[in-house]
Amino acid sequence: MIKKILVSQPKPTSEKSPYFEIASKYGVEVVFRPFIKIEGLSAKEFRQQKVSILDYTAVVFSSRNAIDHFFLLCKELRVTIPEDMKYFCITETIALYIQKYVQYRKRKVFFGSTGKVDDLLPSMVKHKTEKYLVPLSDVHNDEITNLLDSKKLIHKEVVMYRTVSNDFKSDEKFDYDMLIFFSPSGIQALLKNFPDFEQKEIAIGTFGPATAQAVKDAGLRLDMEAPTSQYPSITAALDDFVKKHNC
């Protein structure tokens, strides 16, 4: 029986979220409590990488976090971004988020349609003379590096923010029937907070193959996984999982 579910993400801003529909439909409590949080590097930490932002003429953004911490660092470093700086984003949503910091102009903001760097490459190749700066988290793979190398583009990857455990307080209850994770970092944070964690009857669900593998590597039982051909979203998988266990 599933009565209380912990979703390791911030609470949705829309009341129309499928999570709330699941809670209402099956009479379960859904708690939104991130296991990890993002924090920016200090100016001192950034300088240790010996990268000068103004040496680059274009920036590649793969997330809103990358945008936030790029501009926050620029402010802390007192770096004034030139008007002709170009921005390449993996989705239109991320591209539009740039408006939070600079005036949006179509001639200098480019975006892909699939959320994959591959889809952004044609636009970058058209601007082959640009020098690309790629803000990243301390936890990242070499996908972007390899793709830009394959097109012989001038680029530099630089860490601007990090993923850290969002530690549980000593008086914080941990009485959940199910835990849902979205990144391997979330699994690491679970084991950091609860080194003696025993899964027993607690169900674990994941989104993404890397997160699913992290559960298995930690010696835990994976009870629900998305996306699949049958369940393309985590909420579709969760709806079916709760229905089977509560009906």
Side-chain angles (χ1 to χ4, degrees):
M1 187 81 171
I2 305 294
K3 294 182 179 179
K4 191 173 183 181
I5 302 168
L6 185 151
V7 177
S8 60
Q9 278 195 330
K11 186 177 180 179
T13 53
S14 170
E15 291 300 320
K16 294 182 180 180
S17 167
Y19 286 112
F20 300 130
E21 293 177 16
I22 291 170
S24 176
K25 189 191 301 186
Y26 301 110
V28 299
E29 181 181 359
V30 179
V31 177
F32 298 92
R33 204 288 185 193
F35 272 72
I36 57 176
K37 59 184 177 181
I38 304 296
E39 64 178 27
L41 266 63
S42 66
K44 181 180 178 181
E45 290 173 315
F46 176 76
R47 288 192 188 100
Q48 291 172 358
Q49 298 179 76
K50 301 187 186 307
V51 173
S52 174
I53 292 171
L54 295 181
D55 284 347
Y56 298 87
T57 58
V59 190
V60 182
F61 290 126
S62 57
S63 69
R64 291 184 181 185
N65 281 324
I67 293 174
D68 283 335
H69 293 291
F70 171 79
F71 285 105
L72 287 172
L73 260 177
C74 285
K75 183 178 180 180
E76 189 175 350
L77 293 164
R78 296 181 181 177
V79 170
T80 301
I81 303 299
E83 287 287 320
D84 58 354
M85 179 72 84
K86 293 184 175 66
Y87 304 100
F88 292 78
C89 308
I90 61 170
T91 66
E92 184 178 11
T93 301
I94 292 172
L96 291 170
Y97 188 70
I98 291 176
Q99 293 178 105
K100 181 178 177 181
Y101 298 98
V102 296
Q103 188 175 357
Y104 189 99
R105 292 177 184 159
K106 287 186 177 180
R107 63 178 175 80
K108 68 174 185 178
V109 181
F110 309 85
F111 54 85
S113 58
T114 64
K116 295 182 178 180
V117 183
D118 313 53
D119 190 45
L120 193 57
L121 275 180
S123 295
M124 296 175 72
V125 170
K126 287 180 182 177
H127 297 83
K128 204 174 181 70
T129 58
E130 303 293 343
K131 295 180 179 179
Y132 292 96
L133 185 67
V134 188
L136 295 170
S137 164
D138 61 330
V139 179
H140 62 268
N141 57 36
D142 294 328
E143 179 189 11
I144 295 178
T145 301
N146 294 337
L147 285 170
L148 301 194
D149 279 344
S150 72
K151 298 299 181 182
K152 296 182 170 55
L153 297 171
I154 301 169
H155 61 94
K156 177 68 177 179
E157 288 68 39
V158 60
V159 173
M160 289 192 169
Y161 54 102
R162 63 169 70 90
T163 303
V164 298
S165 173
N166 188 17
D167 292 343
F168 281 71
K169 298 175 182 177
S170 57
D171 60 346
E172 194 171 346
K173 285 186 177 181
F174 193 80
D175 54 352
Y176 303 98
D177 302 302
M178 185 172 190
L179 311 174
I180 299 178
F181 295 97
F182 297 83
S183 75
S185 300
I187 307 301
Q188 295 166 11
L190 169 68
L191 300 178
K192 176 181 180 291
N193 277 277
F194 307 101
D196 300 321
F197 177 74
E198 293 184 12
Q199 185 174 1
K200 296 182 179 178
E201 298 304 313
I202 299 174
I204 292 181
T206 59
F207 186 81
T211 312
Q213 188 59 48
V215 171
K216 297 169 187 174
D217 290 345
L220 300 172
R221 184 185 69 253
L222 181 61
D223 301 285
M224 185 195 83
E225 184 177 359
T228 64
S229 56
Q230 189 175 4
Y231 306 113
S233 69
I234 192 73
T235 47
L238 181 62
D239 188 300
D240 182 72
F241 187 86
V242 174
K243 179 170 66 176
K244 286 177 179 176
H245 284 76
N246 287 21
C247 296

